[in-house]
Amino acid sequence: MGLDIKQTSDDGYGILGVVDRKPYLLKVDKNGYFVWDTVHGTLVDYRDPVPTLMATLLENQEEAFFFFCLKKVGLEWTPILLRYTVDNHDITEYRLHFSDNSFFTESVFLLKAVEVANNVFLLFVAENDGDTLHLLEVNTTGLIIGHHEHTVSNNCFYAYDVEDQRYHH
């Protein structure tokens, strides 16, 4: 299932999808012809990507895609920022962390992500208990540069969508 599409610097398109809850990346040229994809099993350790693909040029002018997903760490599924470098097909994983190098360890549902500035993303997550929401400002190395936590009142109704395994309000 396709989640998001972004135009690339060569006028082609990067497409983020999900297959069996696993992230999948596909690159097509400006005419829609296949260029490359992440072969089955490449991203097998990850699941439930946020339906937002962010494309950016790195300092060395190499194009990269970023997206958030979950990875099992210990007994918990923890949020991860993945970077996929287009030229050499390199995958780099960044656990979300604070400036003191402590990790964001809440077990959460990933709700939404957006790129708000050059190389700064907002990630909106809900804890599994459904009572706490977090808005995280994250840079391209997974560093949390802003964190806002909100407790949800009891009069809100929440549902869990079985089809896409995501938390919905």
Side-chain angles (χ1 to χ4, degrees):
M1 171 173 67
L3 298 176
D4 198 13
I5 185 168
K6 290 288 185 252
Q7 190 162 25
T8 56
S9 60
D10 63 359
D11 292 329
Y13 296 92
I15 301 165
L16 174 64
V18 63
V19 177
D20 296 326
R21 297 183 71 179
K22 308 294 183 205
Y24 174 76
L25 285 172
L26 170 70
K27 172 79 165 56
V28 296
D29 67 15
K30 64 182 178 181
N31 297 312
Y33 292 107
F34 176 87
V35 176
W36 57 258
D37 68 350
T38 53
V39 295
H40 182 70
T42 301
L43 301 172
V44 72
D45 293 333
Y46 309 98
R47 75 173 201 190
D48 301 335
V50 175
T52 305
L53 180 64
M54 295 154 286
T56 189
L57 289 176
L58 302 175
E59 291 176 7
N60 62 1
Q61 297 304 305
E62 188 174 21
E63 190 158 38
F65 295 117
F66 289 88
F67 63 91
F68 292 95
C69 59
L70 296 175
K71 181 179 182 181
K72 193 158 195 171
V73 177
L75 299 175
E76 300 290 332
W77 286 94
T78 188
I80 298 289
L81 176 63
L82 278 186
R83 179 182 81 182
Y84 189 87
T85 308
V86 173
D87 293 344
N88 62 8
H89 305 282
D90 182 46
I91 300 168
T92 307
E93 169 189 307
Y94 300 102
R95 282 189 63 190
L96 304 189
H97 62 281
F98 296 97
S99 59
D100 66 358
N101 288 324
S102 64
F103 292 111
F104 182 80
T105 56
E106 303 298 335
S107 185
V108 296
F109 292 103
L110 304 176
L111 300 175
K112 182 68 179 168
V114 294
E115 186 171 8
V116 292
N118 192 23
N119 299 327
V120 176
F121 313 115
L122 284 181
L123 177 63
F124 189 50
V125 301
E127 288 186 26
N128 286 344
D129 64 12
D131 294 335
T132 307
L133 302 174
H134 298 269
L135 183 62
L136 306 172
E137 255 184 296
V138 182
N139 73 10
T140 56
T141 64
L143 175 65
I144 298 170
I145 54 179
H147 176 216
H148 307 280
E149 184 176 313
H150 304 280
T151 302
V152 180
S153 66
N154 293 333
N155 60 4
C156 289
F157 174 77
Y158 291 89
Y160 189 77
D161 187 328
V162 176
E163 181 180 335
D164 69 2
Q165 302 296 309
R166 292 193 180 281
Y167 192 69
H168 295 274
H169 180 266

